[in-house]
Amino acid sequence: MIITIAAGKGGTGKTLVATSLALSIDNVQFIDCDVEEPDAHILLRPEIFSRKPVFIPVPQVDEEKCTGCGKCSEVCVYHAIAVFSQRVLIFPELCHGCGACVHLCPENAISEEGMKVGVVESGKADGIEFIQGKLDIGKPMPTPVIREVKREINPKRTVIIDVAPGTSCPMAEAVKGSDFCILVTEPTPFGLYDLKLAIEVVKKLKVNFGVIINRDGIGDYRLEDYCKSEEIPVLLKIPFQRKIAELYSKGVSLVSGMPEWKEDFNNLFREIKEAR
Amino acid sequence: MKEIVVISGKGGTGKTSILASFAVLAERKVICDADVDAPDLHLLLKPEIEEEHDFWGREVAFIEKDKCTECGLCLECRFNAIKDFEVDFFSCEGCRLCFYLCPGNAIEMKPNLAGHWFTSRTKYGLFVHAKLEPGQENSGKLVAEVKQAARKIAERERIELILCDGPPGMGCPVISSLSGASLALLVTEPTLSGIHDLERVLDVCCHFGIPAAVVINKYDLDAGNTFEIERFCAEREVEVLARIPFDNVVPEAIVKGMPVVEYTNTNTNTNTNERVSREIKALWKKLEEGIGASGW
């Protein structure tokens, strides 16, 4: 079973929930798909055994074969190739690696070389199989890294995926194909507004979902009222407590610092299995 | 023209609460929200929309079943967007490879309305904001349009300052929000995650040569981590401009739909704590002086 933990709004407690769930159940594979800012390793402290670079294929022109016809520039929708006075200029940072230029060059003058955009790291944290992706500094596109990380999914384990904030492509790419999505939010108008946007994505992806209310008590009742009226299951409420915030700030997971929460996360897991 | 962009790496550190307060404190400015896929600033600024513009994203491939012979050439798709001769909307990156390869002209590239952007009036000033349709890509391009529109308005109105609320993370929308910025204000919090993400996002600023300064929000949550952030900033020669305490007045103001400095000004509730607003006002004063001295 694959469970994704997403939010819409940033900083609502995705990583807190994902790591505590992972530490409460058996036979887990943990995948950090927030490749822009992966933080789960801070709480799970894995030992990393292997690092695999992620490349996207960018074009390379064989100048002897190239006639400067301009076809490659014409077919590239990302404007990553320009042809000036029969010389081809390539802007690798705009390239998505789609291969259109390679396929369509009439002279077969284009080959590809890998451009590194990130890394996939694998390791172990106690019994947990741990995988994380990291986007390189200054590289704009997280999705190729997310795709590579998701290739590591081990179907023999319960897979827990920590997702980037937002509701655009990196979030959709990570949530896609999962069996259940936990949306973590907070009871403020910001949390509610962004939750509604996230729900639209999850519904379009046809993934079952439920909500966890974190920092319960800081805001108002509009979030709960909304969940009630839309019949969205509230799976768990985590109260706002200074101690919980302090544990997180020191990189201690909720269930390690306050083991009494283990039972709640076990129940959460049971509820998700039943909801499927 | 000066442009201050508030970013953070990690989400939920307080970008929007701080930027909304600047919108109250700054005199002449154009405000823009560059967090287009989870925009929240409008919930505090309560804009009256004056103009609405379509944002067209990348085209999406569509297979016409009656023309398709299932020859399989389109399965060359590098994004695995074609399964059973249907296109998965979320995976298609609009590269047109399938469109070019299909021998039977069975593939059509359809335009894709990916979102909207708005120019609005608020009681704090003119405001440019946007909404990306859920699950869309290309948010960096929409951010660029929002910023472009804000600059045009500033030029037209002869306004010298743009205040921009940025997105979390460090990928395309962040890079896009940083383009042309005079100063990136990095809002962090004293958690190990906050520190980790600050380091990465500061590296991004350095990579693109954008001057940066740091604000430690909720600094009293963990004294050790706050010290660590200060040590790190000193080592990287980045100025820490403010330390804002943790206080429930911030979520209270959000619930009331008001920028926090305005909430504490108007609220007669005696429980209201002024510390947060005082720090934000002092921070704004420093920024104003910095702008005046054209340090940024």
Side-chain angles (χ1 to χ4, degrees), chain A residues 36 39 96 147 167 176 194, chain B residues 37 40 91 93 135 170-171 197:
Chain A
E36 295 181 43
D39 287 337
H96 285 220
R147 268 186 229 125
T167 61
K176 195 168 67 184
D194 297 347
Chain B
D37 62 294
D40 290 331
S91 298
E93 299 201 8
M170 51 164 271
D197 296 352

Side-chain angles (χ1 to χ4, degrees), chain A residues 182-200:
Chain A
I182 300 175
L183 294 167
V184 185
T185 191
E186 58 180 39
T188 64
F190 288 5
L192 175 57
Y193 184 83
D194 297 347
L195 173 71
K196 288 179 185 169
L197 299 177
I199 286 175
E200 278 186 61

Side-chain angles (χ1 to χ4, degrees), chain B residues 1 30 150-159:
Chain B
M1 195 185 304
V30 177
R151 282 177 197 150
K152 276 197 185 142
I153 291 174
E155 273 168 26
R156 188 189 70 208
E157 304 283 327
R158 294 169 200 255
I159 292 172

Side-chain angles (χ1 to χ4, degrees), chain A residues 16-67:
Chain A
L16 179 142
V17 167
T19 52
S20 281
L21 180 59
L23 290 165
S24 300
I25 59 178
D26 296 328
N27 193 32
V28 167
Q29 183 194 35
F30 190 99
I31 299 188
D32 197 340
C33 269
D34 184 356
V35 303
E36 295 181 43
E37 302 289 9
D39 287 337
H41 69 96
I42 295 170
L43 291 104
L44 294 176
R45 299 167 206 213
E47 202 184 321
I48 300 294
F49 303 135
S50 79
R51 289 185 172 82
K52 263 198 300 196
V54 179
F55 297 102
I56 63 168
V58 297
Q60 214 178 9
V61 177
D62 180 340
E63 294 196 6
E64 286 190 0
K65 288 188 187 166
C66 175
T67 60

Side-chain angles (χ1 to χ4, degrees), chain A residues 169-180:
Chain A
C169 52
M171 183 263 192
E173 187 70 37
V175 174
K176 195 168 67 184
S178 59
D179 299 296
F180 194 90

Side-chain angles (χ1 to χ4, degrees), chain B residues 38-222:
Chain B
D40 290 331
L41 187 57
H42 67 103
L43 297 169
L44 302 180
L45 303 186
K46 306 208 165 73
E48 270 175 52
I49 293 173
E50 294 202 316
E51 280 175 38
E52 177 174 336
H53 304 264
D54 292 340
F55 170 66
W56 293 91
R58 206 119 48 214
E59 299 167 320
V60 175
F62 176 79
I63 300 178
E64 291 177 60
K65 281 275 169 197
D66 46 339
K67 287 192 192 165
C68 174
T69 60
E70 306 202 348
C71 71
L73 278 177
C74 56
L75 302 177
E76 284 285 337
C77 173
R78 298 261 177 97
F79 309 113
N80 295 323
I82 300 179
K83 276 166 212 124
D84 304 325
F85 300 98
E86 266 183 48
V87 178
D88 171 16
F89 173 85
F90 287 108
S91 298
C92 177
E93 299 201 8
C95 73
R96 292 186 159 211
L97 179 64
C98 57
F99 168 81
Y100 293 125
L101 293 182
C102 179
N105 288 326
I107 296 180
E108 198 190 333
M109 296 305 296
K110 289 195 169 174
N112 165 29
L113 184 62
H116 294 90
W117 60 272
F118 316 94
T119 54
S120 297
R121 205 164 277 282
T122 75
K123 67 173 179 178
Y124 315 98
L126 297 169
F127 179 38
V128 187
H129 50 127
K131 195 181 163 232
L132 193 70
E133 286 301 316
Q136 287 280 357
E137 66 160 340
N138 234 350
S139 53
K141 201 176 154 208
L142 181 52
V143 169
E145 287 200 14
V146 165
K147 287 195 56 168
Q148 193 57 35
R151 282 177 197 150
K152 276 197 185 142
I153 291 174
E155 273 168 26
R156 188 189 70 208
E157 304 283 327
R158 294 169 200 255
I159 292 172
E160 291 296 320
L161 176 66
I162 293 174
L163 296 174
C164 177
D165 193 9
M170 51 164 271
C172 76
V174 172
I175 293 172
S176 185
S177 73
L178 285 176
S179 125
S182 324
L183 176 74
L185 193 64
L186 313 180
V187 180
T188 188
E189 60 178 32
T191 64
L192 292 183
S193 311
I195 298 173
H196 176 260
D197 296 352
L198 169 69
E199 290 179 22
R200 277 170 69 78
V201 86
L202 179 62
D203 286 343
V204 173
C205 293
C206 294
H207 182 92
F208 291 104
I210 307 292
V214 166
V215 172
I216 309 174
N217 195 13
K218 311 172 204 172
Y219 81 93
D220 46 351
L221 265 188
D222 190 307

